[in-house]
Amino acid sequence: MLLANYHTHTKRCGHATGEDEDYVLEAIGHGFKHLGFSDHAMLPGFSEPYKRGDYTLFSDYVDSINNLKQKYDGRITIYLGFEAESYPCYFPFYKELLTNSVLDYMILGNHSAMSEDHKVYAHFSNITSPSQLYLYKDLAIKAISTGMFSIFAHPDYFMSSIANFDSDCKKVSKAIIEACIAYDVPLEVNVAGIRHGERQIGNNRRFLYPTDEFFKLVSKYRAKCIIGMDAHAPDQLMNESAVYTAVRFCKKHDLNVIDILDKIKRRR
Ligand SMILES: [Zn+2]
Ligand SMILES: [Zn+2]
């Protein structure tokens, strides 16, 4: 039985459904002890409709989750967080939210790269050159080594468009795993990738992520892993067949899976 999920979205991002409270009730119904909300970061001065909520929704997000923390106190521990990109121009904003205890935690979702003037200039779901692959690695490590992130969500996201796990992929993976170990950041086995089903990528039919080759290395290093639902609807907190596949994936690779994040402290 799973005890916690720290990767939960809300309808504010524009591509998730359900009320915040429905996620809480669903989690309680499945016996979860912890529920972490980690909606796509709402960022001042940057708008990305249908990918993340507008910054004007941020205070409603904070208030709503904090109310639920109180309402369900004693039944489930609720955490308030963000899934945030490695956008260095926003690191001071992230830092402020964590140090002022507005957020309890953050998870890293390394989907894209942003320039200092807030322009997204690379999408890591569609890596087409080694330089983009190495950019993925550099940004991931930059974020991990700030110490601000508690989980690296879908760390093998770079494999979404790469047909063969070649020597560059291996190098990048090793560097990422080493950084996660050094900063005690568990690597997520992402259930959304499983829910979305297998795709034909080159000669292989597989999930975009999690991928066998990456997690073979994770296993070899004995790095910590965690299962994350990446729920975009309340009933995705426990999609039994996808979770069964995720658990089997962890067993197959003999992963060092943790079920509770002991490092986050609940605030307010
Ligand atoms: Zn999403
Ligand atoms: Zn997510």
Side-chain angles (χ1 to χ4, degrees):
M1 186 165 132
L2 292 172
L3 298 174
N5 178 53
Y6 303 97
H7 193 162
T8 313
H9 293 280
T10 78
K11 60 182 183 181
R12 294 172 190 79
C13 68
H15 60 274
T17 56
E19 298 305 315
D20 300 342
E21 189 160 13
D22 295 335
Y23 286 88
V24 175
L25 293 171
E26 186 81 16
I28 291 172
H30 289 293
F32 284 21
K33 303 281 173 243
H34 292 186
L35 177 65
F37 283 92
S38 55
D39 207 358
H40 296 286
M42 295 151 220
L43 301 170
F46 180 65
S47 147
E48 210 177 16
Y50 304 107
K51 284 197 176 175
R52 66 186 68 251
D54 193 80
Y55 186 59
T56 52
L57 299 173
F58 181 51
S59 63
D60 174 66
Y61 176 54
V62 172
D63 292 347
S64 168
I65 306 306
N66 283 332
N67 283 336
L68 292 168
K69 281 185 190 181
Q70 284 179 356
K71 182 164 175 184
Y72 291 94
D73 195 26
R75 297 178 66 190
I76 188 165
T77 305
I78 296 172
Y79 297 101
L80 173 62
F82 263 167
E83 176 180 12
E85 277 72 15
S86 180
Y87 294 162
C89 55
Y90 281 105
F91 284 0
F93 172 65
Y94 301 162
K95 182 97 207 155
E96 193 184 305
L97 295 178
L98 291 169
T99 48
N100 295 342
S101 304
V102 178
L103 297 183
D104 300 311
Y105 75 113
M106 291 204 310
I107 69 175
L108 173 63
N110 196 19
H111 304 99
S112 56
M114 181 185 270
S115 61
E116 281 299 314
D117 58 348
H118 295 195
K119 299 270 186 304
V120 172
Y121 64 93
H123 290 279
F124 298 128
S125 56
N126 187 28
I127 288 177
T128 53
S129 69
S131 67
Q132 290 172 337
L133 176 63
Y134 283 94
L135 177 65
Y136 178 91
K137 175 205 63 136
D138 290 344
L139 285 173
I141 292 175
K142 193 163 188 161
I144 290 161
S145 46
T146 63
M148 293 193 288
F149 293 91
S150 300
I151 294 173
F152 189 0
H154 40 63
D156 50 348
Y157 190 78
F158 64 88
M159 285 301 290
S160 300
S161 61
I162 296 179
N164 297 308
F165 192 86
D166 61 10
S167 61
D168 288 319
C169 293
K170 197 168 181 179
K171 245 187 249 169
V172 161
S173 301
K174 282 184 172 173
I176 287 171
I177 296 164
E178 282 166 3
C180 285
I181 293 171
Y183 289 89
D184 195 21
V185 175
L187 297 126
E188 184 197 56
V189 173
N190 186 278
V191 176
I194 295 171
R195 270 198 323 266
H196 295 153
E198 293 182 336
R199 314 278 171 92
Q200 190 70 32
I201 300 158
N203 295 325
N204 298 318
R205 213 173 151 70
R206 60 162 173 88
F207 301 125
L208 297 186
Y209 47 85
T211 53
D212 286 325
E213 292 90 343
F214 180 83
F215 279 96
K216 245 180 233 166
L217 282 175
V218 172
S219 174
K220 204 166 140 193
Y221 277 82
R222 305 310 300 149
K224 282 184 193 169
C225 296
I226 191 160
I227 292 175
M229 302 301 171
D230 201 351
H232 286 76
D235 64 2
Q236 292 176 356
L237 281 173
M238 184 47 77
N239 174 320
E240 280 177 24
S241 79
V243 171
Y244 176 75
T245 304
V247 170
R248 255 193 357 204
F249 180 89
C250 295
K251 291 229 162 85
K252 176 172 85 175
H253 291 297
D254 186 27
L255 297 178
N256 175 17
V257 181
I258 61 162
D259 35 33
I260 291 282
L261 264 188
D262 41 18
K263 276 209 311 194
I264 47 177
K265 284 193 200 82
R266 188 159 69 144
R267 288 136 171 166
R268 282 204 283 190

